C-alpha cells in the first residue's frame, strides 16, 4: 500500500469517527463540511505550501557561509518535491507532464520579463538561465499542481461550459499579451471582458463533503488568483524575487498583479484540462445537492 492509499484510509477512518457528530444537526453538518473543505484545500496546496515554507525559511535561516547559493538549493529542493509527489502516488505522471509544460512556458516568460526589468532575482546562483534561477519555474508548477489536485479532490464538474476552443484562445491571447504589451497596446482589459463573455454563464460544481455545491467559474478563478497574490506577497517577503518598488525594502505587491495572475492562471487551467477534460454536471443534482459516501469521493482521487 503506497502513501496515497494509506492517507485515504486515514481519511475514511476519520470520517467514520466524525460522521455521527456531523449528523446531529444542520449546523454540525455545515461545520464538518467546512472542515473538510479546508482540509481538501490544504492538501491540494501541498506543493505550493512546501515551496513557500522553503522560500521564507531559507531567507531567515540560510547561512552566509553556505558552500552553495540559496537559489541553487531551492532548485534542488523543488526537483525533490516534484519527484516525491510522483513517487509517493500523490500526483499522477500525466498531471506532472502538463505541469512541466506550464513550468517551461512560465520560465520563458520569466526570462523575458526579467530582461525588461519587470522584476529581478537579487541573489547570485549557478543554476539559472540569464537572470532567472531555475527554481522560478517551479512556482508556476505549484499553480498547476494545485489546479490538478483540486480538480480531483472536489470532483469538479461544469454547467454551461463554453466550447472547448474558447478558453484556449483566451489563455493564449493572455499569455502573448504578457510579451507584446511592452511594444504594443496592452489588451488585458479586453481580455477581462472576453473572459466574462466566455465564462459568464458557466458554473462549476464541487463536493466538499456529501453535497454538491456550485459557484460561477469567474468567481472561482478570481478567488484562486487572490490566494496566489497572497502567496506572491510571501514570496517577495522572502526575497525570492523583488519588484522595482521593493528594491529598498519590502512592501505589499501591487493589487494590479491580481489581474495578471487571473490571466496567467487561465493558461494553467486549460493545460490541466488536457488530462482532466471538463465534465458536464447534472443540473438537477447541482441544484439540489447530492449525497454520496465519502469513500466514493476518496476513490476518485486515486
Amino acid at each position: 500500500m503506497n502513501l496515497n492509499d494509506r492517507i485515504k484510509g486515514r481519511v475514511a477512518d476519520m470520517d467514520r469517527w466524525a460522521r455521527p457528530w456531523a449528523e446531529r444537526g444542520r449546523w454540525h453538518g455545515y461545520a464538518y463540511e467546512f472542515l473538510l473543505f479546508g482540509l481538501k484545500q490544504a492538501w491540494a496546496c501541498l506543493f505550493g505550501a512546501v515551496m513557500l515554507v522553503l522560500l521564507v525559511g531559507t531567507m531567515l535561516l540560510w547561512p552566509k557561509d553556505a558552500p552553495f547559493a540559496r537559489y541553487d538549493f531551492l532548485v534542488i529542493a523543488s526537483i525533490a518535491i516534484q519527484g516525491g509527489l510522483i513517487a509517493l502516488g500523490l500526483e499522477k505522471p500525466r498531471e506532472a507532464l502538463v505541469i512541466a509544460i506550464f513550468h517551461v512556458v512560465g520560465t520563458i516568460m520569466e526570462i523575458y520579463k526579467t530582461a525588461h526589468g519587470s522584476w529581478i532575482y537579487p541573489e547570485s546562483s549557478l543554476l539559472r538561465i540569464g537572470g532567472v534561477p531555475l527554481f522560478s519555474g517551479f512556482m508556476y508548477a505549484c499553480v498547476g499542481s494545485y489546479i490538478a489536485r483540486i480538480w480531483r479532490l472536489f470532483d469538479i464538474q461544469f454547467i454551461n461550459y463554453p466550447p472547448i476552443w474558447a478558453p484556449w484562445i483566451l489563455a493564449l491571447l493572455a499569455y502573448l499579451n504578457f510579451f507584446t504589451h511592452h511594444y504594443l497596446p496592452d489588451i488585458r482589459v479586453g481580455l477581462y471582458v472576453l473572459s466574462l463573455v466566455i465564462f459568464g454563464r458557466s458554473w462549476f460544481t464541487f463536493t466538499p463533503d456529501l453535497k454538491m455545491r456550485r459557484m460561477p467559474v469567474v468567481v472561482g478563478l478570481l478567488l484562486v488568483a487572490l490566494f496566489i497574490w497572497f502567496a506572491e506577497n510571501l514570496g517577495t517577503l522572502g526575497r525570492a524575487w523583488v519588484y522595482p518598488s521593493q528594491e529598498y525594502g519590502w512592501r505589499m505587491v501591487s493589487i494590479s498583479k491580481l489581474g495578471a495572475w487571473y490571466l496567467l492562471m487561465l493558461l494553467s487551467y486549460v493545460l490541466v484540462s488536457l488530462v482532466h477534460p471538463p465534465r458536464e454536471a447534472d443540473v438537477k443534482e447541482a441544484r439540489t445537492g447530492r449525497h454520496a459516501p465519502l469513500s466514493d469521493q476518496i476513490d476518485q482521487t486515486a
Side-chain angles (χ1 to χ4, degrees), residues 5-240:
D5 291 334
R6 289 200 296 270
I7 291 171
K8 291 177 182 179
R10 293 290 181 88
V11 172
D13 291 342
M14 181 204 74
D15 184 65
R16 283 191 290 269
W17 174 78
R19 184 62 59 185
W21 179 87
E23 293 175 346
R24 290 181 184 175
R26 176 181 298 179
W27 290 103
H28 284 221
Y30 289 156
Y32 186 56
E33 182 178 33
F34 184 74
L35 172 65
L36 291 178
F37 177 84
L39 289 175
K40 287 184 176 182
Q41 287 284 352
W43 191 235
C45 292
L46 180 62
F47 193 173
V50 174
M51 283 298 299
L52 283 176
V53 169
L54 286 173
L55 293 177
V56 177
T58 53
M59 186 273 290
L60 295 173
L61 303 174
W62 193 255
K64 293 182 179 180
D65 57 349
F68 52 92
R70 177 171 79 115
Y71 283 174
D72 291 337
F73 167 78
L74 289 171
V75 175
I76 297 169
S78 300
I79 294 172
I81 295 168
Q82 182 70 85
L85 288 174
I86 297 172
L88 295 172
L90 302 179
E91 195 165 271
K92 295 176 180 292
R94 58 179 182 160
E95 293 174 346
L97 177 60
V98 296
I99 291 168
I101 295 172
F102 189 47
H103 178 130
V104 171
V105 298
T107 300
I108 292 170
M109 191 184 74
E110 288 278 328
I111 295 169
Y112 184 87
K113 286 292 195 177
T114 53
H116 285 76
S118 298
W119 56 81
I120 63 169
Y121 291 88
E123 300 178 24
S124 61
S125 63
L126 293 175
L127 303 176
R128 63 194 301 128
I129 300 175
V132 180
L134 296 182
F135 80 85
S136 65
F138 285 96
M139 303 308 297
Y140 296 89
C142 290
V143 177
S145 175
Y146 168 80
I147 294 175
R149 289 165 65 79
I150 210 73
W151 208 306
R152 286 188 282 112
L153 288 167
F154 284 91
D155 188 23
I156 301 294
Q157 300 177 48
F158 295 89
I159 301 171
N160 294 326
Y161 195 79
I164 294 296
W165 53 265
W168 275 98
I169 290 177
L170 173 62
L172 292 174
L173 286 174
Y175 184 67
L176 289 174
N177 187 64
F178 282 107
F179 296 87
T180 60
H181 83 85
H182 288 280
Y183 307 104
L184 301 173
D186 190 343
I187 63 170
R188 72 183 62 193
V189 174
L191 293 171
Y192 299 148
V193 174
L194 181 58
S195 73
L196 290 174
V197 172
I198 292 175
F199 289 112
R201 297 179 58 252
S202 300
W203 293 66
F204 72 95
T205 66
F206 59 103
T207 309
D209 184 19
L210 299 180
K211 288 190 175 182
M212 181 184 285
R213 307 296 183 183
R214 63 176 181 163
M215 179 183 294
V217 168
V218 171
V219 174
L221 294 173
L222 282 172
L223 287 174
V224 175
L226 177 63
F227 279 95
I228 295 173
W229 179 76
F230 289 147
E232 185 177 32
N233 275 282
L234 285 175
T236 56
L237 180 63
R239 293 191 68 78

Side-chain angles (χ1 to χ4, degrees), residues 269-282:
Y269 164 78
V270 296
L271 286 171
V272 172
S273 72
L274 291 174
V275 293
H276 293 296
R279 292 181 294 143
E280 192 71 17
D282 185 289

